[in-house]
Amino acid sequence: MNRLPSKKKIFEKMLLIRKVELKLLDLYARGFIRGTVHTCIGQEGCAVGVISAIDIKTDIIFSNHRGHGHYLAYCDDVKGLIAEILGSSEGASAGVGGSQHLHNNNFYSNGIQGAGVPVAVGMGLAEKFTGSNSVTLAFLGDGTFGEGVIYESFNLAALLKSPILFIVESNGYAQSTPTHLQHSGDFGKRAEPFGIPITIIDGSRVEEIIKITKKIIQDIRSGLGPQILYLNTYRVAPHSKGDDFRDQDEIIRMSKLHDPLTPLAQEINKLEREQIEESIELRIQKILNELGINL
Amino acid sequence: MNFTYLESLNNGLIGALTANPNVYLIGEDLNDPYGGAFKVSKGASYARPTQVISTPISESAFTGLGTGMAIRGMRPVIEIMFGDFITLCTDQILNGATKFTTMYGKALEVPLLIRTPMGGGRGYGPTHSQSIEKMFLGIPNLTVVSPSLGHNPGNLLRQSIENITNPLLFVEYKSLYPKKLISSDEIINIREVENPEKHPVVLAKNFTSGEPDVIVITYGGGSEQLFEVMRSLAIDEIRIEGVLPSRIDLKGEPPWWFDLIKTDIPIIVAEHGTPGTTWGTEIASLLYESFFSTLTMPIRRLSCADEVIPAKVSLESSMMLTSEKLSQAVIEMLG
């Protein structure tokens, strides 16, 4: 069993995602970016926690409309991501896909809510048929639970024992609408009738996510069928760009509770933290220079 | 040798499954002895049990399932029980399978084949009798193929399964399933013209020499009415040339088989499905664009009526493209 990555390494990965996305919002505000930017600010622990627990070489990820964090945690391709969102042909998808349509080795994403979930179940099944031992991950949000196809997909995954882990990043909102205004019942029980085990944890506790995901992935790899990892998190930034009408007190209170960077930052000494921050900023600046963006 | 449309498809499908263990057949009620609602898949699960996945009633999810399998190196064949149900898969086809092929800025192979029976004539009523393939004819990176009674449907299916790199919608016609395939006889002469893409066009004539009086262009289920009319009007020595393409998606460019068409003869473009923004209107439009200076005769379009397909037999035939309506149109074109 692989050892856990160091606290410093985990912190660095999450901070990279945070800084890249803050820069993207800045670039958007300055008119460098067309279309939309769905950031995962506040949810970096989910991306880094889960993806630190998989085998990057062989496992498969199917991400969604909010996938920058997943992408960076998977392949660290900062330049490809920023270039793609800037609409450059140097981008990860050569400027065709944009923010929501990224592909790199075993990483895929698509912008239609829930639509990637059955595709991921099929990818898992293909790997099972070829005997590759790979596990497929499908990322979805609590808002995605409004799409019917995910329940069809849960059923198929359990029935066919597709080696897949569904990761739900439950951030409390679907675009602008809070969860309680669009969903009845208990999310924790939504997959119960399909016999899919669900593990519910705090999405800001990265090290715990890594440990638990490793165990779940091991079970799935050994042929026990699909599982759900349900991560309670909070989206600090707006759904996209800057159109946020949420209560500011709520954002401050929830950010304090759920920001995955805060607890880890306290465990790393100040000098190291500053070095990490500086090197990330330099890296992003260098990429922007290479792409001809002068702020 | 003298197979029905159904037997030919069944042979082609089982042939493809047997030849390549990466071919998977996915759909509802496929397991034998039932073997799928229309029996195209009959015997598949007996012959290749590990390659047949009989699914719950979840068209959207199992189309996505097939897409994921195709991206990861399999060659899935999705069976949609009735063509009407393909609306349930539309998001997966339009925003998924076909997009993955190019939207990442590099080519990604998605060898997904979806087969489904369209059309009425069997009394299934409004939600089980439609021909709605027109909604899928202009989707980037989606090929649409529909064999007629003059083609070899099984060969076409098997070649499609084996050779595609992008998604393909394979439209069968349920009214044709029990019909014998047509080969040349004393009345009808059939010639299949191949092209490099292996989507052959069938040229059929009910005369032996000289020029036709009317050209009828149709595909798939329309071939039943075409061949009936060619036989019945041969008695009156009305000379008809039928043109039956097997690939029907149109992306603004004239299809290669336009080279086979004579333009100084009246043309009828006939199809099943409701009128308005159809395969036939696009073919007619492309004919005008391609041959404007040499067209000397009118082009006429025929389709089903702009209504639901009723269950009751007399009402159903009043709404559908029938041999009588096609025959009448041919005679009217002669003036």
Side-chain angles (χ1 to χ4, degrees):
Chain A
M1 185 105 189
N2 301 335
R3 285 172 47 221
L4 294 186
S6 68
K7 289 182 195 297
K8 192 180 146 189
K9 193 75 206 161
I10 299 168
F11 178 77
E12 192 178 352
K13 282 191 168 195
M14 290 197 297
L15 192 65
L16 174 72
I17 296 169
R18 174 77 52 98
K19 294 259 178 202
V20 167
E21 292 206 308
L22 287 170
K23 184 58 73 182
L24 289 173
L25 288 175
D26 181 32
L27 288 167
Y28 188 92
R30 292 167 190 254
F32 285 97
I33 294 174
R34 299 167 69 235
T36 193
V37 183
H38 301 136
T39 65
C40 68
I41 293 167
Q43 302 177 209
E44 298 91 341
C46 307
V48 173
V50 170
I51 293 168
S52 298
I54 67 168
D55 184 337
I56 291 290
K57 288 196 190 73
T58 58
D59 290 337
I60 299 168
I61 294 175
F62 206 106
S63 175
N64 55 16
H65 65 295
R66 201 176 301 287
H68 306 158
H70 309 146
Y71 184 76
L72 293 179
Y74 174 76
C75 61
D76 196 48
D77 176 24
V78 178
K79 186 175 183 183
L81 179 69
I82 293 178
E84 185 61 33
I85 294 167
L86 284 167
S88 160
S89 53
E90 289 181 72
S93 298
V96 179
S99 160
Q100 306 183 73
H101 313 100
L102 304 167
H103 167 41
N104 185 323
N105 290 319
N106 281 350
F107 183 100
Y108 309 84
S109 72
N110 194 5
I112 302 285
Q113 283 293 327
V117 177
V119 177
V121 175
M123 289 177 164
L125 202 62
E127 297 302 313
K128 180 180 158 176
F129 288 157
T130 54
S132 78
N133 219 21
S134 297
V135 170
T136 300
L137 279 68
F139 281 94
L140 48 160
D142 48 326
T144 319
F145 275 68
E147 295 288 359
V149 74
I150 72 163
Y151 304 95
E152 294 183 18
S153 304
F154 288 160
N155 183 44
L156 271 180
L159 190 75
L160 302 171
K161 279 204 165 25
S162 176
I164 183 165
L165 175 60
F166 302 105
I167 299 113
V168 183
E169 292 177 79
S170 181
N171 65 16
Y173 284 89
Q175 197 139 340
S176 70
T177 308
T179 303
H180 71 91
L181 289 182
Q182 53 178 330
H183 289 287
S184 62
D186 182 350
F187 276 121
K189 291 181 178 157
R190 289 268 177 113
E192 197 176 275
F194 304 108
I196 301 178
I198 181 166
T199 307
I200 304 174
I201 48 175
D202 184 335
S204 64
R205 296 167 68 174
V206 194
E207 289 169 291
E208 192 185 348
I209 296 173
I210 299 175
K211 278 181 211 155
I212 289 172
T213 307
K214 274 181 183 285
K215 172 75 180 72
I216 294 173
I217 294 272
Q218 197 180 17
D219 287 349
I220 297 171
R221 228 185 277 289
S222 69
L224 294 179
Q227 293 202 35
I228 295 176
L229 180 64
Y230 193 97
L231 303 171
N232 283 307
T233 182
Y234 188 74
R235 194 190 72 214
V236 175
H239 161 70
S240 65
K241 318 167 225 170
D243 52 350
D244 207 345
F245 296 91
R246 292 177 298 179
D247 176 20
Q248 284 305 305
D249 291 342
E250 176 199 298
I251 296 175
I252 292 163
R253 179 171 48 82
M254 292 296 280
S255 301
K256 275 182 186 159
L257 274 174
H258 284 289
D259 190 331
L261 284 163
T262 316
L264 264 187
Q266 287 162 359
E267 296 187 53
I268 298 166
N269 77 55
K270 190 163 174 270
L271 184 66
E272 272 192 321
R273 231 166 50 215
E274 284 170 359
Q275 281 171 348
I276 290 170
E277 196 161 339
E278 198 186 328
S279 88
I280 289 172
E281 280 168 4
L282 280 172
R283 186 179 171 194
I284 294 171
Q285 193 51 54
K286 184 167 170 284
I287 286 166
L288 289 177
N289 291 343
E290 286 167 8
L291 293 170
I293 303 289
N294 298 304
L295 300 177
Chain B
M1 176 54 211
N2 203 4
F3 289 124
T4 64
Y5 191 81
L6 180 75
E7 287 162 348
S8 172
L9 288 168
N10 181 247
N11 290 341
L13 180 59
I14 293 182
L17 283 162
T18 309
N20 183 350
N22 279 336
V23 174
Y24 285 85
L25 178 63
I26 302 165
E28 293 152 5
D29 300 293
L30 296 181
N31 282 342
D32 292 307
Y34 189 75
F38 286 99
K39 313 307 170 194
V40 174
S41 302
K42 195 163 179 68
S45 78
Y46 281 153
R48 310 297 292 180
T50 59
Q51 290 165 251
V52 176
I53 303 173
S54 200
T55 67
I57 306 171
S58 305
E59 287 86 355
S60 180
F62 67 73
T63 303
L65 186 91
T67 303
M69 290 172 71
I71 292 171
R72 300 301 298 184
M74 307 286 165
R75 304 193 81 82
V77 177
I78 305 285
E79 173 171 309
I80 302 298
M81 189 187 285
F82 280 79
D84 313 70
F85 308 163
I86 204 161
T87 52
L88 299 160
C89 322
T90 306
D91 178 58
Q92 287 297 329
I93 295 170
L94 179 67
N95 288 321
T98 55
K99 292 276 192 297
F100 293 129
T101 59
T102 54
M103 79 172 178
Y104 297 126
K106 51 202 164 255
L108 186 68
E109 291 199 359
V110 188
L112 174 78
L113 188 140
I114 301 169
R115 25 169 307 271
T116 194
M118 294 287 181
R122 292 180 57 159
Y124 286 112
T127 63
H128 289 59
S129 305
Q130 300 165 89
S131 298
I132 55 172
E133 60 271 31
K134 71 174 181 178
M135 297 178 188
F136 295 85
L137 300 182
I139 295 179
N141 305 311
L142 181 68
T143 303
V144 186
V145 168
S146 183
S148 75
L149 283 177
H151 288 93
N152 184 327
N155 270 3
L156 203 51
L157 176 60
R158 181 165 172 177
Q159 280 176 9
S160 299
I161 295 169
E162 290 175 348
N163 297 325
I164 52 171
T165 52
N166 283 352
L168 185 144
L169 176 61
F170 194 89
V171 176
E172 299 162 11
Y173 261 79
K174 64 172 89 75
S175 57
L176 302 185
Y177 281 147
K179 304 278 178 193
K180 293 278 185 200
L181 298 178
I182 308 273
S183 45
S184 294
D185 57 27
E186 64 277 11
I187 299 172
I188 292 174
N189 175 270
I190 297 246
R191 183 162 71 96
E192 192 171 78
V193 186
E194 273 281 0
N195 74 317
E197 290 171 11
K198 293 194 188 306
H199 297 112
V201 164
V202 164
L203 297 180
K205 291 179 182 178
N206 65 352
F207 55 96
T208 47
S209 62
E211 298 290 301
D213 299 312
V214 176
I215 293 172
V216 178
I217 307 174
T218 187
Y219 71 89
S223 62
E224 183 184 357
Q225 288 75 43
L226 171 66
F227 287 121
E228 281 175 14
V229 170
M230 286 174 80
R231 284 185 200 287
S232 65
L233 294 187
I235 301 161
D236 305 321
E237 293 185 358
I238 295 175
R239 299 139 71 94
I240 299 170
E241 178 166 39
V243 180
L244 295 152
S246 53
R247 179 175 178 174
I248 59 168
D249 58 295
L250 294 162
K251 310 286 167 58
E253 294 295 321
W256 64 272
W257 48 266
F258 270 19
D259 293 346
L260 307 171
I261 291 178
K262 298 169 195 72
T263 55
D264 54 352
I265 288 163
I267 296 173
I268 294 173
V269 188
E271 65 195 320
H272 289 271
T274 55
T277 322
T278 73
W279 177 80
T281 59
E282 186 69 6
I283 289 291
S285 167
L286 289 167
L287 283 170
Y288 280 115
E289 271 181 40
S290 306
F291 302 120
F292 187 74
S293 59
T294 55
L295 283 173
T296 55
M297 302 297 280
I299 297 171
R300 180 160 173 193
R301 292 172 286 124
L302 280 183
S303 66
C304 297
D306 180 28
E307 249 307 336
V308 300
I309 306 281
K312 178 179 153 79
V313 64
S314 58
L315 288 176
E316 185 182 34
S317 49
S318 75
M319 293 300 169
M320 287 188 60
L321 172 72
T322 58
S323 301
E324 291 71 31
K325 289 175 199 170
L326 179 59
S327 183
Q328 194 189 338
V330 168
I331 290 161
E332 283 168 12
M333 290 294 266
L334 297 175

